[in-house]
Amino acid sequence: MGIYVSTALVILIYFTLIFILAQVMKNNSIVDSFWGPSFLVVALWTYFATPEAGPRSTAVTVLIAIYAIRLFTHITLRNWNKPEDYRYVAMREKWGTKSPVLKAYLNVFLLQGVISYMVALPIISVNSSDSQKLGIIGFLGILIWMIGFLFESVGDSQLKSFKADAKNKGKLMTEGLWSYTRHPNYFGEAAMWWGIFIISVSGFSDILLIISPLIMTYLLIYVSGVPLLEKRYEGRDDFKEYAKRTNKFFPWFPKNKI
């Protein structure tokens, strides 16, 4: 069995187990916590399936482990003892009473499994490659990953501290990294996957792996990230002012207030 096929089966089993756990807990939103670790499962599976792991495999696996553990911890602590996220509640209501469990499996868990597999393609490629030299391009990828990790982790930390202060209730977070981009954590997420992709490129054929960061960036900007959050604040005067001076996604210096 090829590594790509076996990894697909591992992901299928992984998300099926998370689905079963979610049905027991009656909370489909726990899948958010296990999104990051799905890539760690792929990284470990492919890393130890490789007879002789080299510098590139080790670098990618370590970076994915750092990313996955931090994201799992952050989301799990944020959602601890909270009810099911409103997005998944809305899905339940939309599905009605006809086969809601099957629809949850197909539309949430299986779908995330498919996306996870496609985003994880550079991990599979690197960990099954005979080319293990970590050259200048590889170190460039690590640097981009580190920038992304900084934006995601620091951005999340700054937002958590902001929300923990009762004086900020109902206010927008516009300071720190949030003054350079309205979504530093999402920008950081995308940057990390661009970094992983760059590390995975060892030849011209590897360019096709660009589908991984493209999918992640598209989802964050147009589907499940930025649009959902910005919709919650549309119409607010303070958000309109914030949007005028701060880039939506890519960080840049704040514009002069109008």
Side-chain angles (χ1 to χ4, degrees):
M1 183 184 296
I3 191 67
Y4 285 90
V5 174
S6 65
T7 302
L9 290 176
V10 167
I11 290 179
L12 176 61
I13 294 171
Y14 174 83
F15 276 99
T16 299
L17 291 175
I18 303 305
F19 161 74
I20 294 172
L21 177 62
Q23 303 319 299
V24 172
M25 297 178 64
K26 300 188 186 312
N27 185 346
N28 287 330
S29 63
I30 67 167
V31 72
D32 291 345
S33 288
F34 292 95
W35 165 252
S38 71
F39 300 107
L40 180 55
V41 169
V42 170
L44 293 176
W45 172 261
T46 54
Y47 184 82
F48 289 109
T50 304
E52 295 181 8
R56 283 208 308 151
S57 292
T58 301
V60 165
T61 301
V62 169
L63 294 180
I64 291 297
I66 295 171
Y67 157 80
I69 293 171
R70 191 213 73 86
L71 190 61
F72 172 81
T73 303
H74 170 71
I75 294 177
T76 301
L77 291 178
R78 184 188 65 188
N79 296 339
W80 194 258
N81 284 332
K82 291 183 179 179
E84 187 175 45
D85 186 275
Y86 72 95
R87 295 168 298 161
Y88 297 93
V89 173
M91 289 182 193
R92 288 180 184 276
E93 294 175 349
K94 182 179 179 180
W95 296 333
T97 57
K98 188 175 181 179
S99 304
V101 175
L102 177 61
K103 289 177 180 177
Y105 181 67
L106 296 177
N107 296 323
V108 176
F109 298 87
L110 189 59
L111 176 60
Q112 288 209 23
V114 172
I115 296 173
S116 175
Y117 180 79
M118 295 179 70
V119 173
L121 287 175
I123 305 172
I124 306 171
S125 176
V126 168
N127 285 358
S128 60
S129 174
D130 293 330
S131 177
Q132 287 294 324
K133 183 179 179 181
L134 194 62
I136 295 176
I137 298 299
F139 283 107
L140 175 62
I142 292 175
L143 176 61
I144 292 174
W145 183 93
M146 291 175 65
I147 292 171
F149 184 77
L150 174 71
F151 268 86
E152 183 177 63
S153 59
V154 174
D156 281 340
S157 178
Q158 290 176 340
L159 182 61
K160 181 180 179 180
S161 297
F162 179 82
K163 288 185 174 181
D165 190 338
K167 294 184 297 183
N168 296 324
K169 186 175 182 180
K171 296 182 180 180
L172 288 175
M173 173 55 167
T174 62
E175 303 170 351
L177 292 179
W178 299 80
S179 65
Y180 298 100
T181 163
R182 303 203 295 272
H183 302 279
N185 46 357
Y186 290 153
F187 167 77
E189 175 89 6
M192 281 190 283
W193 285 105
W194 281 100
I196 294 296
F197 159 68
I198 291 172
I199 299 171
S200 74
V201 176
S202 62
F204 184 76
S205 61
D206 293 329
I207 297 298
L208 295 175
L209 297 172
I210 199 172
I211 188 174
S212 167
L214 284 177
I215 288 175
M216 183 61 76
T217 304
Y218 177 81
L219 289 174
L220 290 170
I221 296 178
Y222 298 107
V223 182
S224 62
V226 172
L228 290 179
L229 279 182
E230 300 228 327
K231 187 176 181 180
R232 296 172 63 181
Y233 299 108
E234 62 182 4
R236 285 179 48 164
D237 291 337
D238 56 349
F239 180 74
K240 291 178 181 178
E241 290 299 317
Y242 177 48
K244 286 180 182 179
R245 67 178 185 270
T246 309
N247 277 8
K248 176 185 288 188
F249 193 74
F250 295 98
W252 194 246
F253 296 102
K255 306 177 185 69
N256 292 328
K257 295 182 180 180
I258 301 176

